[in-house]
Amino acid sequence: MHQVSSLLIKLIPFYPRYFWSGSCVHLIMEKGNGCCFSIMTMPNLIVVLIAIIVIFVIRILFVIHQSRKPLHNLPPKAVSTLIVLGSGGHTAEMINLIRVLQMERFTPRVYVVASTDNMSLQKAQVLEASMVDQAGPDKLKEKAQFMQIYRSREVGQSYLTSIWTTLVALVHALLLMIKIRPQVILCNGPGTCFPLCVIAFVFKVLGIRWSSIFYVESIARVKRLSLSGLLLYKLHIADLIFVQWPHLQKKYPRTLYVGCLM
């Protein structure tokens, strides 16, 4: 075999040179003393990469399809719930929504607010304390938890600078989601919710945790969705988006009109 290889190299002096080594064909560069690589592994690597990409895309499409049936994905027993509070009117709307929930169904509850939003944190604590007083401590199986997270975008912040703050918020959101791993996520507009929802969607795709994401658009949004709502809608991240104006539902047909929640 080595004699054949030597003969071929002498007969073809001006072309890239090949020789057999075991079951692989190697390519010897013109001036390389030992610079060679296997050309048999490259097609295999490409096939593996294509297969991984195809499987990943199929999994994403499956998750999006299943997410269109959020109520079927919820188990009949109590579900751990992550509630994302914004500031000002967002918090007031979410608290009104929480008051009408079946609290024994959505438990344990974890409230997440922006690190700069102490007012919403206090309102959530007051809400939980009032529910304990009404229902009694014996009926509430687990106490609510309260956490704070970096905001992906502050009010009035430019979109350019929000790229960096969004990346920081994503890392913080990842750490929180690994710890919490909720079955339901309720949010209604603040930029704080977007990194959490993205991480939850990635967890779905990877099979780590299936979280049903419910987004309630603010009543102040009359003509178009907020930036957070629009991203969750366009990227198919949210399982269900509720709007409070009928013509908003017509503009975004995959949303659900529920009327005024205030």
Side-chain angles (χ1 to χ4, degrees):
M1 180 63 72
H2 290 293
Q3 294 177 352
V4 175
S5 300
S6 301
L7 180 60
L8 288 176
I9 291 174
K10 291 179 180 179
L11 292 175
I12 315 176
F14 300 106
Y15 291 92
R17 302 168 183 175
Y18 296 86
F19 71 96
W20 284 94
S21 176
S23 60
C24 296
V25 179
H26 291 262
L27 172 64
I28 302 178
M29 306 306 293
E30 280 296 320
K31 298 181 180 180
N33 296 324
C35 179
C36 62
F37 63 92
S38 173
I39 63 173
M40 292 296 291
T41 59
M42 292 303 295
N44 294 337
L45 180 61
I46 294 174
V47 170
V48 171
L49 290 176
I50 293 175
I52 292 175
I53 293 173
V54 170
I55 292 173
F56 193 70
V57 170
I58 292 175
R59 175 63 182 177
I60 291 176
L61 295 176
F62 171 78
V63 169
I64 292 175
H65 175 73
Q66 288 296 111
S67 296
R68 293 175 181 174
K69 303 178 289 183
L71 299 180
H72 296 283
N73 296 326
L74 292 179
K77 57 184 181 180
V79 291
S80 57
T81 304
L82 173 63
I83 302 169
V84 186
L85 298 179
S87 58
H90 290 303
T91 297
E93 290 183 8
M94 182 58 74
I95 287 179
N96 286 338
L97 178 61
I98 296 171
R99 290 185 186 277
V100 300
L101 291 178
Q102 298 176 356
M103 305 313 294
E104 66 279 1
R105 177 88 165 87
F106 297 91
T107 187
R109 291 177 297 281
V110 179
Y111 293 84
V112 172
V113 300
S115 57
T116 56
D117 188 10
N118 293 323
M119 183 67 70
S120 295
L121 179 62
Q122 294 175 2
K123 290 182 178 179
Q125 291 171 339
V126 170
L127 172 65
E128 284 292 328
S130 65
M131 289 191 295
V132 171
D133 293 338
Q134 293 176 2
D138 297 335
K139 292 187 178 181
L140 295 178
K141 297 180 180 180
E142 298 186 45
K143 292 184 179 180
Q145 300 181 51
F146 306 92
M147 299 181 178
Q148 291 183 292
I149 188 175
Y150 295 114
R151 292 191 65 163
S152 56
R153 181 174 178 268
E154 296 288 346
V155 177
Q157 182 181 354
S158 67
Y159 293 128
L160 183 61
T161 58
S162 65
I163 296 176
W164 166 250
T165 55
T166 299
L167 293 176
V168 174
L170 276 171
V171 175
H172 196 191
L174 175 60
L175 298 177
L176 281 180
M177 290 297 292
I178 291 175
K179 181 179 180 180
I180 302 170
R181 296 206 299 172
Q183 294 170 279
V184 171
I185 298 177
L186 296 177
C187 49
N188 72 331
T192 311
C193 76
F194 184 71
L196 294 167
C197 293
V198 170
I199 298 298
F201 185 81
V202 172
F203 279 9
K204 283 184 183 181
V205 174
L206 298 179
I208 297 175
R209 181 65 154 178
W210 191 281
S211 300
S212 296
I213 303 171
F214 298 98
Y215 182 87
V216 183
E217 188 57 275
S218 172
I219 193 173
R221 290 292 172 172
V222 179
K223 295 183 179 180
R224 60 180 181 271
L225 295 174
S226 62
L227 178 60
S228 297
L230 187 62
L231 289 173
L232 295 178
Y233 181 87
K234 293 292 186 180
L235 298 176
H236 295 264
I237 292 176
D239 293 46
L240 201 54
I241 297 179
F242 301 99
V243 295
Q244 303 185 52
W245 295 97
H247 49 276
L248 198 58
Q249 192 277 330
K250 293 179 180 179
K251 186 174 182 180
Y252 304 96
R254 286 189 287 108
T255 61
L256 180 64
Y257 169 64
V258 293
C260 180
L261 299 176
M262 290 294 289

